[in-house]
């Protein structure tokens, strides 16, 4: 290194070095040639001989000029060399500079990467912590809700018992307020429980083959009375091309529809609610099923629309005061719909109404009974009379899809004119509630001309309407609104002595008399699914019972210990403790065999039935439960010879 430095300083300039070489060689030539000349001439070396040789040999002058010429050439070469070297030095300087730059950039990049990696790992940790916290929160909520449910059940159950005792008006009002508030609180807790189940990822989809329309029809059954009380028309429109059977989760779809229809009724003061359903084929295996619930209610301001599906969100604070609710329903619906592969959205105009729609993806299945032969209906002429335009449209579409031709009127007086003009039809579908002339009055007009064989009539009416005396003979049948498509078809087919091939699940109408013969009973329902709870309580309410609810087997065991129930409807599959275990525990704890326990099960195989009986249950009901079966069951165990039945299982 040191040597190199010295060399560099001495010969720092090539021009100088080469000039030195030039001078050295330039001096060497004349001196050497002079010395050689003196030596060749045998002369002694002295200054005078040098001058002599110079004088005699003019060539020497030329040789003497050599230092000058050589020095000049060398200095030119040196200068070039210098430039080259400088260029080289510049170049290597630049390379060095760039290398340094690159090295620095490299370092910076490396530290940036390290920083990013550090942030990433911190983020990951934070995300994991947040997820763990969310799960912990959801689990806490879920445990809390369960813990709250137990004392709440006692409050509700006991207040129910209290109502049944002798109370003065004031006390009765207080007790009823406790009961109603208890029920409301329980439904809030159920919402929270559901929400926390979704948040902690514990909500699972249970796929099964199902009738596509079942969730809608169950919902309409459940909420028809509520709509009726507010005098709102509840309508259902099933578009063509909707598959009859699909594979999906009935309870979850029903939960969403119940929530949307419930909201629609809640936020609508007058008008109608239309539930429609259509299907779009996506590929050979999948359909997109689109449900929508359209109301003519208060509507939602545009700037609030996107907040609705967030948890605990309501349009404004006054909503809770006026309409109640937790603001969780739509958030839960959104999650459920997403689990089913779809979306949920809303369109609304304030003061005009809202349409909530959702889609799901589902695989259709073909069931042989889905395509009955109804050719014999083709061409029959149907008279449709209804003052509601939407309902007319729905009935027309249904008739069309069954090959019936139709004439529809929104004004019953017009039908009177047609009758007078001699018009005739094969079948009449009349709405009951119409202005000017109601369904019964119109039927009376029709019967003046046509007998029931000539023109059979079907009356559409609100739930609970009972035909009296002569009215019974005027109509072939009376169907509750909203009418199930299959029920209507089945009734039409019956008129022509043929079966539609559809399995109709709608209960045959029970009369007031039937219901009155049922005894007073204290009933507990053990069922974890919130909508199933509502369906069952609604049915039992129609039969005159106010029931208590337990959300799992453990709660049921505790409830039975506290309250002297006559009858328990026990779901088989429940979280925490299932129906079989709960029944065994109840039978262990309570010696009173007069408590009747009836299983509710989706799997009604003989093996399951035996398992129910072995665990100490008295009987079983196949799900989905329906009013006539429940009615028969209560009659069987509490009206008919009950002791024989009890002995047969004990
Ligand atoms: P909840 O009804 O229990 O408060 P939801 O999540 O079901 O909770 O609904 C959230 C809010 O959305 C309601 O409080 C109401 O402000 C608004 N909303 C829902 N459905 C309708 C509707 N059909 N018409 C008007 N507003 C509605």
């Amino acid at each position: 290194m040191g040597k190199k430095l010295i060399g560099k300083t001495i010969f720092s300039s090539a021009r100088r070095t080469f000039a030195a070489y030039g001078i050295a060689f330039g001096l060497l030539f004349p001196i050497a040639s002079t010395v050689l000349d003196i030596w060749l001439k045998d002369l002694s070396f002295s200054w005078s001989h040098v001058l002599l040789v110079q004088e005699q040999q003019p060539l020497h002058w030329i040789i003497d000029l050599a230092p000058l010429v050589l020095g000049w050439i060398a200095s030119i070469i040196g200068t070039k060399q210098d430039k080259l070297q400088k260029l080289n030095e510049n170049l290597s300087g630049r390379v060095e500079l760039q290398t340094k730059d690159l090295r620095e950039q490299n370092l910076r990049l490396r530290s940036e990467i390290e920083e990013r990696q550090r942030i990433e790992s911190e983020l990951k940790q934070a995300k994991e912590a947040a997820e763990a916290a969310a799960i912990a929160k959801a689990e806490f909520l879920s445990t809390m809700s369960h813990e709250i449910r137990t004392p709440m059940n006692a409050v509700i159950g006991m207040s129910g018992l209290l109502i049944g005792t002798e109370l003065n008006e004031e006390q009765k009002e207080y007790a009823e307020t406790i009961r109603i508030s208890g029920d409301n609180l329980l439904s809030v807790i159920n919402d929270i429980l559901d929400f926390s189940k979704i948040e902690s990822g514990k909500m699972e989809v249970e796929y099964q083959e199902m009738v596509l329309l079942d969730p809608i029809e169950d919902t309409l059954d459940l909420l028809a009375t509520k709509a009726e009380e507010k005098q709102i028309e509840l309508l259902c429109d099933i578009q063509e091309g909707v598959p009859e059977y699909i594979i999906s989760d009935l309870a979850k779809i029903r939960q969403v529809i119940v929530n949307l229809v419930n909201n629609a009724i809640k936020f609508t003061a007058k008008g109608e609610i239309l539930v429609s359903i259509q299907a779009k084929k996506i590929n050979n295996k999948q359909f997109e099923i689109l449900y929508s619930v359209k109301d003519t209610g208060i509507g939602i301001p545009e700037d609030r629309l996107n907040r609705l599906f967030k948890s605990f969100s309501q349009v404004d604070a006054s909503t809770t005061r006026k309409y109640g609710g937790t603001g969780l329903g739509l958030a839960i619906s959104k999650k459920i719909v997403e689990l089913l592969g779809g979306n949920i959205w809303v369109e609304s105009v304030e003061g005009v109404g809202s349409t909530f729609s959702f889609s799901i993806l589902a695989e259709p299945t073909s069931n042989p009974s889905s395509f009955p032969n109804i050719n014999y209906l083709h061409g029959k002429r149907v008279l449709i009379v209804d003052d509601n335009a939407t309902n007319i449209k729905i009935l027309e579409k249904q008739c069309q899809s069954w090959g019936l031709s139709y004439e529809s009127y929104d004004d019953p007086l017009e039908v009177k004119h047609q009758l007078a003009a001699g018009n005739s039809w094969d079948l009449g579908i009349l709405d009951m509630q119409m202005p000017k002339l109601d369904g019964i009055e119109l039927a009376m007009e029709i019967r003046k001309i046509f007998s029931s064989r000539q023109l059979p009539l079907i009356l559409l009416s609100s739930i609970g309407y009972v035909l009296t005396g002569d009215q019974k003979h005027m109509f072939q049948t009376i169907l509750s609104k909203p009418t199930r498509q299959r029920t209507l078809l089945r009734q039409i087919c019956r008129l022509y002595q043929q079966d539609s091939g559809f399995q109709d699940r709608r209960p045959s109408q029970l009369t007031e008399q039937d219901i009155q013969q049922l005894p007073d009973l204290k009933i507990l329902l053990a069922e974890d699914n919130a909508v199933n709870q509502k369906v069952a309580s609604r049915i039992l309410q129609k039969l005159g019972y106010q029931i208590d609810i337990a959300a799992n087997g453990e709660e049921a065991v505790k409830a039975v210990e506290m309250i002297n129930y006559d009858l328990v409807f026990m779901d088989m599959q429940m979280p925490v403790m299932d129906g079989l275990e709960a029944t065994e525990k109840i039978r262990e704890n309570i010696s009173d065999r007069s408590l009747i326990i009836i299983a509710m099960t989706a799997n009604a195989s003989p093996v399951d039935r035996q398992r129910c009986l072995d665990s100490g249950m008295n009987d079983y009901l196949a799900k989905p439960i329906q009013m006539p079966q429940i009615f028969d069951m209560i009659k069987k165990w509490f009206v008919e010879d009950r002791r024989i039945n009890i002995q047969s299982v004990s």
Side-chain angles (χ1 to χ4, degrees):
M1 180 87 186
K3 250 191 209 163
K4 243 184 179 175
L5 201 75
I6 296 162
K8 229 179 168 182
T9 36
I10 296 174
F11 302 106
S12 58
S13 152
R15 187 175 58 86
R16 231 181 289 150
T17 318
F18 275 80
Y21 288 149
I23 291 165
F25 281 110
L27 284 175
L28 202 70
F29 276 181
I31 291 169
S33 71
T34 311
V35 170
L36 190 69
D37 221 6
I38 291 173
W39 182 67
L40 284 175
K41 285 182 177 157
D42 262 345
L43 297 174
S44 60
F45 285 98
S46 67
W47 186 244
S48 56
H49 286 150
V50 169
L51 289 178
L52 182 77
V53 169
Q54 295 288 328
E55 273 169 29
Q56 284 175 353
Q57 288 286 338
L59 187 71
H60 275 292
W61 288 104
I62 297 167
I63 292 171
D64 284 350
L65 283 175
L68 273 178
V69 177
L70 283 177
W72 176 65
I73 292 170
S75 107
I76 289 174
I77 295 171
T79 310
K80 287 233 165 104
Q81 191 73 16
D82 263 0
K83 273 189 188 156
L84 216 68
Q85 199 168 328
K86 210 169 196 164
L87 214 70
N88 256 347
E89 274 170 10
N90 270 352
L91 215 64
S92 66
R94 253 197 302 195
V95 168
E96 217 165 89
L97 223 81
Q98 277 175 356
T99 314
K100 204 173 141 205
D101 228 37
L102 270 176
R103 211 173 291 141
E104 277 170 5
Q105 271 183 22
N106 228 352
L107 276 173
R108 241 194 334 259
L109 264 177
R110 196 172 301 159
S111 77
E112 260 174 38
I113 288 171
E114 278 167 7
E115 178 69 5
R116 208 163 285 178
Q117 277 170 343
R118 189 183 60 78
I119 292 171
E120 245 168 47
S121 101
E122 274 177 15
L123 272 177
K124 204 170 149 212
Q125 276 172 7
K127 184 175 161 261
E128 281 167 3
E131 278 170 357
I135 291 173
K137 185 189 81 184
E139 268 165 12
F140 169 74
L141 271 177
S142 153
T143 326
M144 276 296 291
S145 317
H146 271 301
E147 290 304 315
I148 296 169
R149 286 188 58 92
T150 311
M152 269 321 293
N153 279 334
V155 171
I156 292 169
M158 293 292 181
S159 54
L161 284 182
L162 190 62
I163 292 168
T165 61
E166 236 177 71
L167 298 174
N168 66 30
E169 275 311 303
E170 197 183 1
Q171 289 166 331
K172 202 164 181 182
E173 198 190 314
Y174 294 162
E176 267 163 8
T177 311
I178 298 175
R179 168 99 201 188
I180 293 167
S181 310
D183 280 341
N184 288 344
L185 182 53
L186 211 55
S187 84
V188 172
I189 291 168
N190 280 343
D191 269 1
I192 295 176
L193 200 63
D194 248 2
F195 190 74
S196 55
K197 221 196 262 174
I198 294 171
E199 286 280 279
S200 56
K202 285 200 182 128
M203 184 169 273
E204 280 170 13
V205 182
E206 287 169 30
Y207 287 103
Q208 58 181 2
E209 188 180 74
M210 55 171 272
V211 177
L212 183 93
L213 296 184
D214 269 357
I216 294 206
E217 296 188 332
D218 285 348
T219 309
L220 299 181
D221 265 357
L222 188 68
L223 299 171
T225 328
K226 213 168 170 183
E228 174 67 20
E229 278 163 15
K230 291 182 85 175
Q231 302 211 318
I232 299 165
E233 286 263 15
L234 194 50
L235 305 165
C236 178
D237 180 22
I238 296 125
Q239 311 249 320
E240 244 175 90
V242 172
E244 200 184 355
Y245 292 87
I246 55 166
I247 294 180
S248 192
D249 189 326
L250 188 146
K252 295 215 169 46
I253 298 176
R254 192 174 52 186
Q255 186 172 349
V256 178
I257 303 175
V258 166
N259 183 37
L260 298 185
V261 177
N262 203 16
N263 277 349
I265 298 174
K266 192 155 87 171
F267 296 105
T268 303
K270 64 172 199 294
E272 61 179 40
I273 291 161
L274 174 67
V275 182
S276 29
I277 171 166
Q278 51 182 297
K280 206 167 74 190
K281 198 169 183 177
I282 292 186
N283 53 42
N284 279 345
K285 282 197 84 184
Q286 273 188 321
F287 267 84
E288 186 186 46
I289 319 277
L290 186 75
Y291 301 83
S292 71
V293 179
K294 182 169 184 247
D295 66 48
T296 51
I298 57 171
I300 301 154
E302 206 182 331
D303 58 329
R304 300 293 169 120
L305 286 176
N306 53 358
R307 281 183 19 188
L308 289 184
F309 299 101
K310 300 207 170 107
S311 33
F312 303 105
S313 155
Q314 297 184 317
V315 165
D316 58 45
S318 65
T319 308
T320 323
R321 256 174 282 131
K322 195 164 165 196
Y323 301 98
T326 48
L328 274 178
L330 290 175
I332 293 172
S333 298
K334 182 171 190 285
K335 301 264 182 185
I336 292 179
V337 165
E338 283 169 357
L339 275 178
L340 297 173
N343 275 316
I344 186 164
W345 64 98
V346 57
E347 291 148 278
S348 184
V349 179
E350 210 178 346
V352 176
S354 320
T355 306
F356 282 83
S357 312
F358 71 95
S359 62
I360 58 158
L361 289 182
E363 196 181 311
T365 61
S366 55
N367 190 306
S369 69
S370 48
F371 305 107
N373 183 3
I374 50 169
N375 285 344
Y376 55 89
L377 291 182
H378 286 190
K380 295 242 181 297
R381 295 181 69 228
V382 185
L383 164 73
I384 299 169
V385 193
D386 195 324
D387 60 318
N388 182 291
T390 318
N391 210 18
I392 285 191
K393 240 191 270 163
I394 295 169
L395 287 168
E396 285 179 350
K397 224 185 307 172
Q398 289 175 348
C399 286
Q400 198 176 18
S401 70
W402 301 327
L404 295 158
S405 68
Y406 54 80
E407 255 173 54
S408 6
Y409 298 92
D410 57 3
D411 181 0
L413 291 179
E414 177 58 27
V415 181
K416 242 176 108 174
H417 293 143
Q418 292 292 331
L419 283 168
N423 206 348
S424 74
W425 307 270
D426 297 314
L427 159 72
I429 302 173
L430 315 183
D431 183 32
M432 171 64 198
Q433 288 84 8
M434 289 187 288
K436 300 186 216 165
L437 206 64
D438 70 20
I440 297 202
E441 287 162 341
L442 179 62
M444 276 153 78
E445 293 296 324
I446 293 174
R447 285 287 166 261
K448 284 182 192 164
I449 301 171
F450 298 108
S451 71
S452 29
R453 276 184 76 86
Q454 290 167 322
L455 178 49
L457 296 176
I458 293 174
L459 183 69
L460 306 183
S461 174
S462 1
I463 278 183
Y465 187 85
V466 184
L467 292 173
T468 54
D470 281 350
Q471 295 176 350
K472 277 189 195 149
H473 305 297
M474 286 195 297
F475 296 97
Q476 238 55 44
T477 185
I478 169 168
L479 297 179
S480 304
K481 287 207 301 186
T483 320
R484 285 173 186 242
Q485 194 172 341
R486 277 171 295 162
T487 310
L488 181 59
L489 178 57
R490 187 172 191 166
Q491 289 303 335
I492 296 175
C493 292
R494 269 202 194 137
L495 293 175
Y496 300 100
Q497 306 297 313
Q498 308 247 12
D499 202 277
S500 67
F502 283 110
Q503 288 169 352
D504 186 12
R505 294 211 299 101
R506 169 159 281 215
S508 57
Q509 298 238 331
L510 291 168
T511 63
E512 270 304 308
Q513 248 179 348
D514 293 331
I515 294 171
Q516 267 164 16
Q517 56 169 292
L518 295 178
D520 244 7
L521 296 173
K522 194 84 199 96
I523 301 177
L524 176 74
L525 168 76
E527 160 71 64
D528 62 313
N529 180 291
V531 182
N532 283 344
Q533 289 174 2
K534 278 189 202 151
V535 174
S537 16
R538 188 84 205 102
I539 292 176
L540 285 157
Q541 208 177 343
K542 281 189 193 163
L543 295 176
Y545 297 110
Q546 179 87 290
I547 61 161
D548 295 340
I549 295 171
N552 57 52
E554 200 179 88
E555 283 184 18
V557 174
K558 282 187 190 154
V560 170
E561 274 171 14
M562 269 182 309
I563 293 169
N564 219 350
Y565 288 104
D566 302 299
L567 172 61
V568 178
F569 286 108
M570 183 79 79
D571 184 22
M572 291 273 277
Q573 277 157 344
M574 287 184 287
V576 188
M577 187 190 285
D578 68 18
L580 294 175
E581 197 184 335
T583 307
E584 278 163 14
K585 282 241 154 69
I586 291 174
R587 292 295 185 214
E588 261 170 44
N589 296 351
I590 298 166
S591 54
D592 180 11
R593 299 293 297 190
S594 68
L595 168 66
I596 302 293
I597 303 179
I598 292 170
M600 295 187 304
T601 168
N603 343 306
S605 69
V607 179
D608 281 311
R609 202 183 158 182
Q610 196 51 49
R611 280 172 66 208
C612 292
L613 298 180
D614 290 347
S615 73
M617 293 180 183
N618 301 73
D619 214 327
Y620 84 99
L621 268 175
K623 273 181 162 184
I625 55 161
Q626 295 150 60
M627 186 136 89
Q629 282 85 326
I630 295 216
F631 175 82
D632 290 344
M633 203 49 92
I634 296 177
K635 241 177 96 180
K636 176 178 169 188
W637 288 97
F638 294 94
V639 181
E640 288 157 10
D641 193 352
R642 194 178 153 198
R643 274 162 306 145
I644 297 169
N645 288 319
I646 294 169
Q647 277 159 10
S648 69
V649 289
S650 49

